[in-house]
Amino acid sequence: DQQVKQNSPSLSVQEGRISILNCDYTNSMFDYFLWYKKYPAEGPTFLISISSIKDKNEDGRFTVFLNKSAKHLSLHIVPSQPGDSAVYFCAASDGNNNDMRFGAGTRLTVKP
Amino acid sequence: NAGVTQTPKFRVLKTGQSMTLLCAQDMNHEYMYWYRQDPGMGLRLIHYSVGEGTTAKGEVPDGYNVSRLKKQNFLLGLESAAPSQTSVYFCASSPWFEPGEAFFGQGTRLTVV
């Protein structure tokens, strides 16, 4: 039972354009959401997070939006760069470090 | 500035063999985790530890055991490997005051034949 779903396994965008990665969750107890970025042969690295008390969090080119009523969050990357090409994992937590659930990931390819 | 280090990086086991994966972190983090990553499944939590001497089961604990005898080390053991345990294993750690923002090792690719 996947509680965090990333329905798009892959996404391809042109350099300089916006990348939008989507994530849906089913567990209403989740109150903290994160995005991790993973390059081949490396472990995931933390990218950005958002608490359920907010609906937007911005860090440079990366913005995460949270729609609690729809149980949906998205990651926007503007402008996209070739170095952003990686697999992006959405994760959600109910406030305990020990219960972070991950989506299956979306492979982003940014073309020069 | 090592962060989280996993040993080994690759391993091939025969069904029924045993092995231990070692995770070491130098950030003095309280929390440590073992995940497995399978195609189309994302990362799934196997076991975790909230401090030295403590361990607990995660989402998919069957077939694995763990130990945290020292704060900086978290060991994952497979007593009798099965082909279903072929996966990429990631160790992670996090400070207790930052929920969810974990630091990951580079992964161990395990194949059980």
Side-chain angles (χ1 to χ4, degrees):
Chain A
D1 176 30
Q2 276 197 293
Q3 298 184 33
V4 179
K5 297 179 182 179
Q6 294 176 256
N7 293 319
S8 298
S10 63
L11 175 68
S12 181
V13 300
Q14 207 67 36
E15 181 178 7
R17 299 291 187 98
I18 183 172
S19 296
I20 300 177
L21 294 91
N22 294 304
C23 178
D24 297 293
Y25 62 96
T26 58
N27 188 342
S28 58
M29 297 300 292
F30 288 146
D31 60 3
Y32 197 74
F33 304 90
L34 309 95
W35 286 93
Y36 283 84
K37 178 179 180 179
K38 184 184 178 305
Y39 292 116
E42 294 183 11
T45 54
F46 169 74
L47 186 59
I48 192 170
S49 63
I50 187 168
S51 165
S52 61
I53 62 173
K54 295 183 176 180
D55 55 16
K56 176 182 175 182
N57 189 27
E58 196 170 349
D59 183 3
R61 297 185 296 113
F62 302 91
T63 303
V64 56
F65 295 92
L66 175 62
N67 182 334
K68 285 174 290 187
S69 61
K71 293 191 177 67
H72 177 84
L73 64 154
S74 60
L75 174 68
H76 293 210
I77 306 174
V78 184
S80 301
Q81 298 174 354
D84 296 329
S85 297
V87 176
Y88 289 80
F89 290 100
C90 171
S93 170
D94 64 359
N96 296 316
N97 265 355
N98 49 299
D99 200 19
M100 188 162 61
R101 299 296 177 105
F102 285 79
T106 296
R107 181 178 301 278
L108 173 65
T109 303
V110 180
K111 298 180 178 179
Chain B
N1 198 12
V4 178
T5 303
Q6 292 182 230
T7 309
K9 291 185 175 58
F10 303 94
R11 185 74 185 267
V12 178
L13 281 181
K14 293 183 178 179
T15 298
Q17 285 185 319
S18 63
M19 78 163 294
T20 300
L21 281 68
L22 171 63
C23 176
Q25 54 100 357
D26 61 2
M27 296 172 283
N28 202 35
H29 286 170
E30 291 292 335
Y31 287 72
M32 295 188 75
Y33 319 82
W34 276 106
Y35 289 89
R36 59 177 289 174
Q37 183 193 6
D38 301 293
M41 298 294 290
L43 284 84
R44 291 182 293 169
L45 183 64
I46 304 171
H47 285 280
Y48 65 95
S49 168
V50 301
E52 181 179 323
T54 73
T55 63
K57 296 179 180 180
E59 189 182 354
V60 289
D62 294 342
Y64 305 95
N65 57 75
V66 287
S67 65
R68 185 131 180 240
L69 299 180
K70 294 182 179 180
K71 186 176 184 179
Q72 63 268 32
N73 295 338
F74 196 29
L75 279 63
L76 177 71
L78 286 74
E79 290 187 349
S80 180
S84 61
Q85 293 177 304
T86 294
S87 187
V88 180
Y89 292 85
F90 289 101
C91 175
S93 70
S94 65
W96 64 274
F97 55 86
E98 292 186 25
E101 295 173 18
F103 294 78
F104 283 82
Q106 78 278 21
T108 296
R109 184 174 293 277
L110 175 66
T111 302
V112 182
V113 297

